[in-house]
Amino acid sequence: MTAGFLTTSRTRSRAERRQRGRREPGAEMIERSSFRPDVQGLRAVAVGVVVLFHANLSLFKGGFVGVDVFFVISGFLITGILLREAERTGRVRLSEFYAKRARRILPAATVVLIATLVLTVVFLPQIRWESIGVEALASAFYVVNWVFAAGTDYLNAEVAASPLQHFWTLAVEEQFYIVWPLILVLMLALFRRRPRDGAVGDHGTRALPAARIGVLIILVPSLLYSISYTAADPAPAYFVTTTRLWELAVGAALAVFAPQVARLPHLLGTWLGWAGLAAIIAATLLFSGSTPFPGYAALVPTLGAAAIIAAGMNGRAQTGVGRLLTLRPMRWIGDISYSLYLWHWPLVVVATYLLGGVLQARYGLLIVAFSVLPAWLSYRFIENPFRDWGWLRKSARRSLLAGAGLMSVTALCAVVVHAVPAAMNPVYEAREGVRIGAEALTDDFSNDDLSTFTDAGKPVDRVEGGFTPSAIDARKDNTVVYALDCHLDSSESIPKIDGCIFGDPQSDLSVVLIGDSHAANWAPPYIALAQEHGWRLRISTKASCGFSRVSQSDGEGGEYTACNEWARNSFDEVLEEHPDLVVTANRGTRAVYQEGLSKKEARKAYAEALHDDLAALNKAGIPTLVMNETPHMDSDVPECISANLGHLTACATPRDDAFGSDANVRRAVKGLADADIIDMTNWVCPDADACAAVVGNVIVWRDSSHFTETYARTLAAPLDAALQRSDVARAALGPAA
């Protein structure tokens, strides 16, 4: 999203003008494409749909496609710059090219990065400082898209968005600016020949063929990989450079094939421009978070942007759709679009946190409108002055050194912000003989099922002696099933068997724990019991996917096909394995995929389908248990604790809010003699009024609905007692369960 904001000199040497007649017809358009008023307006369209999407306007749920429009613009303009130099000189001066990029990109980006770090320290809880520090460091060196790609797993699904997340687009573009010029230099070398009679224009006869082959080397493999990887694993595919290079290459292709594109008939060009705008608008209105992206879907906004740029060639920039795009307000927004893109997102993220984690559209619009002010100031006093600073322009070396200095300043600030929280967060050290976690609630698990509440679990503002893990470490305090890949992500559908066996692998007594992440929630105490009692325990869980063969929803209104395949495979695997007991746990929001059903009806239908599957297992002689629903806290608990170290009651959730109805859990086992419910709710929420964030010196939650492993391990003894009280479990596991 950087080169899309560049304007370059439109002057030409006399020698170039004399040689125009020797060029391929239409080639002169390339050198004139340095400034396009309609492209300036297209930038306004791109940044407009992005900021309205980030403002949480439901109508613009596909507004993320504005980024793809910027990619095309950038590829087009950058390639025009490179080709003009190649035509004049037969080569590309990389040092001068990168010096211009440094003057154009780094000053505004550096100011926003440092300002975001300041906003982070002033307004955001310390638990977010570490990750934001890493992201700022990666943003300074333009590799942050790979950081975000690596962090798009299920464990981070409920973590608040980073105020630097938008820098992934700049990282992709900067990496393109490394790859594409180098390929062009290589292709020019392969096509090198001596100019005739010293004629400057003859360089162009090899620059275009070289560039055309080079751009196809990027475009075709990247597009094919984007389609493949998006289908296989859409979360990281959204961020990685290899799935996005083709979008910039589409813009580059427009520049290198400009002589042919410019020959479009005027009427066809007019209609093409309007069709391109319609494609961008359609993608903005019809796409959503459930749309696999980029992949095939990215062709819609990308080709739409290319169509608008193509339509404006050959003097048509202010006709057709260009009349709209070249209006003064559109061009003004286009002028500040780079800074507007940089500034609006950190302000949106900070405002979202200050407003309690939810940004309503009316507040989102206010934040976006306010961000125009720092964007204009940045454009007026940072972007333009640094780009036009004569002292820097005279020397590529000075520009590159200045850029390196700006990156170093950002890196230093990022390291400081990253390092501070670890030094400031104490860790509770349990004294000898002191029970922690659920163990602190009672000393007699075998006789006390905690059917009544206890003051030991009441929320308090301060915990004597502190707590463990620290708020900073709570997110990483997770069950081993994730590290062993027993918990599949959203794209996987084949249950993993090897490496997911716990306890005694040779035992004659076998148990299967299966379901979504709430089943993984219970892995630590079940693993502890398997080790204690010598069971063979197999764990198989999948992100946001319940253990039922019914067609399930992906939560965005679409069909969760990978889940459906996994559930069917898992059911068949369980039948073949024929364990002594199957335990399943699923989030209460699991729902079937079926048109016309309300959320309540879809969840009820899922419970009924689960009932049928449990009945089928029971009929096959396999008893089943269903863990009652896990409460859902109304905040990201570690983040809340980090912000309220002396006021922990602020992180408690009223019991009535934390627990939904257990009607669907009861519906799943109703009438089944070999199915039962294991209810551990009072051990997770021991107080009558509210669920505490910390119980017995242990943080209970690593997000809003998943336990820390430290707390989950302390549930082993009360879980053992609950299994003993269940006739189904006792019959399956024996009296020594």
Side-chain angles (χ1 to χ4, degrees):
M1 181 173 292
T2 50
F5 310 95
L6 292 169
T7 57
T8 59
S9 171
R10 284 168 282 179
T11 61
R12 298 181 299 275
S13 69
R14 293 180 181 178
E16 288 177 297
R17 290 196 294 269
R18 284 197 302 269
Q19 294 300 325
R20 187 185 304 166
R22 299 187 185 182
R23 300 186 184 184
E24 187 174 352
E28 68 273 16
M29 188 283 306
I30 298 172
E31 65 181 4
R32 292 177 179 174
S33 67
S34 57
F35 180 77
R36 287 273 302 273
D38 58 331
V39 172
Q40 196 78 346
L42 184 56
R43 296 183 190 115
V45 172
V47 78
V49 298
V50 168
V51 299
L52 291 175
F53 166 64
H54 287 160
N56 280 346
L57 267 70
S58 58
L59 185 64
F60 293 85
K61 58 183 180 295
F64 52 83
V65 301
V67 166
D68 306 85
V69 175
F70 273 122
F71 283 158
V72 176
I73 295 173
S74 295
F76 174 70
L77 294 181
I78 279 295
T79 304
I81 293 170
L82 294 169
L83 283 179
R84 283 191 292 277
E85 182 178 6
E87 284 187 303
R88 289 194 305 270
T89 67
R91 62 191 180 91
V92 173
R93 294 173 297 171
L94 293 177
S95 61
E96 186 62 33
F97 173 78
Y98 293 123
K100 289 179 180 179
R101 303 288 74 72
R103 292 196 302 270
R104 180 64 186 92
I105 297 164
L106 291 176
T110 299
V111 170
V112 172
L113 283 170
I114 294 176
T116 302
L117 290 172
V118 172
L119 291 172
T120 296
V121 172
V122 173
F123 293 109
L124 299 183
Q126 287 184 8
I127 193 173
R128 299 178 66 177
W129 294 12
E130 284 189 333
S131 61
I132 293 173
V134 170
E135 291 153 7
L137 183 63
S139 296
F141 294 101
Y142 295 93
V143 292
V144 74
N145 63 312
W146 295 99
V147 173
F148 289 128
T152 55
D153 57 28
Y154 186 76
L155 298 181
N156 294 322
E158 297 187 28
V159 177
S162 165
L164 296 175
Q165 188 162 302
H166 62 322
F167 267 80
W168 78 268
T169 63
L170 275 72
V172 168
E173 289 198 13
E174 292 307 305
Q175 292 163 46
F176 175 78
Y177 298 160
I178 294 174
V179 172
W180 174 222
L182 290 176
I183 289 178
L184 185 56
V185 167
L186 176 62
M187 298 309 298
L188 287 172
L190 294 176
F191 277 71
R192 178 170 292 134
R193 70 184 183 196
R194 296 173 64 88
R196 294 194 305 259
D197 302 324
V200 176
D202 275 359
H203 294 302
T205 62
R206 67 182 179 84
L208 281 175
R212 287 168 180 170
I213 294 176
V215 78
L216 293 177
I217 290 174
I218 296 178
L219 195 158
V220 175
S222 175
L223 175 58
L224 294 176
Y225 182 71
S226 179
I227 292 170
S228 172
Y229 193 27
T230 300
D233 203 354
Y238 187 85
F239 293 106
V240 298
T241 308
T242 44
T243 63
R244 295 289 189 165
L245 286 176
W246 70 270
E247 299 183 37
L248 291 112
V250 166
L254 278 175
V256 301
F257 289 100
Q260 289 74 31
V261 177
R263 296 173 187 156
L264 288 172
H266 182 79
L267 182 60
L268 178 58
T270 300
W271 283 107
L272 186 64
W274 287 112
L277 182 61
I280 295 171
I281 293 173
T284 300
L285 300 180
L286 300 178
F287 288 2
S288 69
S290 64
T291 304
F293 208 85
Y296 287 113
L299 287 165
V300 178
T302 301
L303 296 182
I308 292 174
I309 296 173
M313 290 181 176
N314 206 15
R316 295 188 296 261
Q318 300 188 56
T319 63
V321 73
R323 290 183 179 273
L324 171 64
L325 298 178
T326 56
L327 292 174
R328 185 179 296 274
M330 298 291 287
R331 292 176 61 174
W332 184 81
I333 295 173
D335 286 342
I336 68 168
S337 54
Y338 176 46
S339 284
L340 181 57
Y341 179 79
L342 290 178
W343 278 103
H344 85 282
W345 181 244
L347 298 178
V348 165
V349 170
V350 172
T352 301
Y353 173 75
L354 295 176
L355 291 171
V358 177
L359 185 69
Q360 296 179 354
R362 63 178 181 271
Y363 296 120
L365 287 173
L366 287 174
I367 296 300
V368 166
F370 173 77
S371 64
V372 172
L373 176 60
W376 179 82
L377 292 173
S378 177
Y379 172 74
R380 177 69 176 81
F381 297 106
I382 299 173
E383 287 187 51
N384 287 342
F386 272 89
R387 182 180 54 203
D388 300 332
W389 190 0
W391 184 79
L392 286 179
R393 288 170 62 94
K394 290 178 181 178
S395 169
R397 182 172 179 273
R398 290 175 189 170
S399 296
L400 293 173
L401 287 174
L406 291 173
M407 295 167 69
S408 299
V409 169
T410 302
L412 178 61
C413 295
V415 169
V416 171
V417 170
H418 171 77
V420 167
M424 297 180 61
N425 281 265
V427 178
Y428 171 76
E429 295 183 4
R431 298 180 299 276
E432 185 176 356
V434 175
R435 294 181 179 273
I436 64 171
E439 295 173 352
L441 299 178
T442 179
D443 289 328
D444 190 357
F445 297 109
S446 60
N447 296 323
D448 187 352
D449 64 0
L450 208 63
S451 57
T452 58
F453 300 105
T454 170
D455 289 341
K458 186 177 290 295
V460 294
D461 282 332
R462 292 181 179 274
V463 178
E464 183 181 355
F467 47 79
T468 190
S470 70
I472 299 296
D473 294 330
R475 291 205 201 287
K476 298 173 285 188
D477 189 29
N478 198 11
T479 172
V480 70
V481 300
Y482 288 87
L484 295 176
D485 293 330
C486 303
H487 183 81
L488 304 186
D489 64 27
S490 59
S491 63
E492 297 176 282
S493 58
I494 305 300
K496 185 174 180 180
I497 306 300
D498 296 337
C500 299
I501 307 298
F502 302 88
D504 181 1
Q506 307 304 320
S507 176
D508 293 333
L509 193 58
S510 62
V511 178
V512 172
L513 174 63
I514 194 165
D516 61 16
S517 63
H518 283 208
N521 235 4
W522 290 102
Y526 273 103
I527 291 173
L529 293 181
Q531 293 170 341
E532 179 181 350
H533 299 305
W535 308 336
R536 180 185 187 274
L537 173 66
R538 182 170 71 86
I539 297 178
S540 179
T541 59
K542 178 173 170 59
S544 301
C545 183
F547 178 57
S548 174
R549 292 173 294 176
V550 69
S551 180
Q552 297 182 48
S553 170
D554 62 5
E556 297 284 347
E559 184 177 10
Y560 194 177
T561 53
C563 169
N564 298 336
E565 185 177 350
W566 173 84
R568 289 191 294 269
N569 291 337
S570 296
F571 190 88
D572 293 342
E573 183 70 33
V574 168
L575 282 178
E576 182 177 349
E577 183 179 356
H578 206 282
D580 296 285
L581 180 67
V582 168
V583 181
T584 186
N586 303 286
R587 196 167 191 158
T589 55
R590 295 282 79 84
V592 302
Y593 173 74
Q594 184 175 331
E595 296 290 339
L597 292 183
S598 66
K599 288 183 179 180
K600 182 177 181 180
E601 292 169 334
R603 292 169 184 173
K604 178 182 177 182
Y606 172 81
E608 292 171 345
L610 177 59
H611 175 278
D612 294 341
D613 288 327
L614 297 181
L617 292 177
N618 290 170
K619 185 177 180 180
I622 304 173
T624 55
L625 298 177
V626 179
M627 301 299 296
N628 207 350
E629 286 189 23
T630 302
H632 192 286
M633 304 293 279
D634 60 12
S635 68
D636 181 334
V637 173
E639 181 171 298
C640 182
I641 291 174
S642 178
N644 297 276
L645 290 173
H647 186 47
L648 296 180
T649 52
C651 304
T653 297
R655 190 179 179 91
D656 291 343
D657 295 341
F659 289 94
S661 170
D662 63 353
N664 284 336
V665 175
R666 289 186 280 105
R667 184 174 283 113
V669 302
K670 185 177 181 180
L672 300 179
D674 288 329
D676 199 1
I677 297 172
I678 300 297
D679 189 354
M680 297 289 292
T681 55
N682 284 2
W683 291 99
V684 178
C685 185
D687 183 60
D689 300 318
C691 298
V694 178
V695 172
N697 297 96
V698 177
I699 294 181
V700 180
W701 311 95
R702 62 174 176 83
D703 51 29
S704 62
S705 61
H706 298 92
F707 308 142
T708 61
E709 184 178 34
T710 302
Y711 190 80
R713 283 199 308 267
T714 69
L715 293 170
L719 175 62
D720 200 6
L723 293 174
Q724 281 291 299
R725 289 190 296 272
S726 167
D727 292 338
V728 172
R730 193 167 56 253
L733 302 174

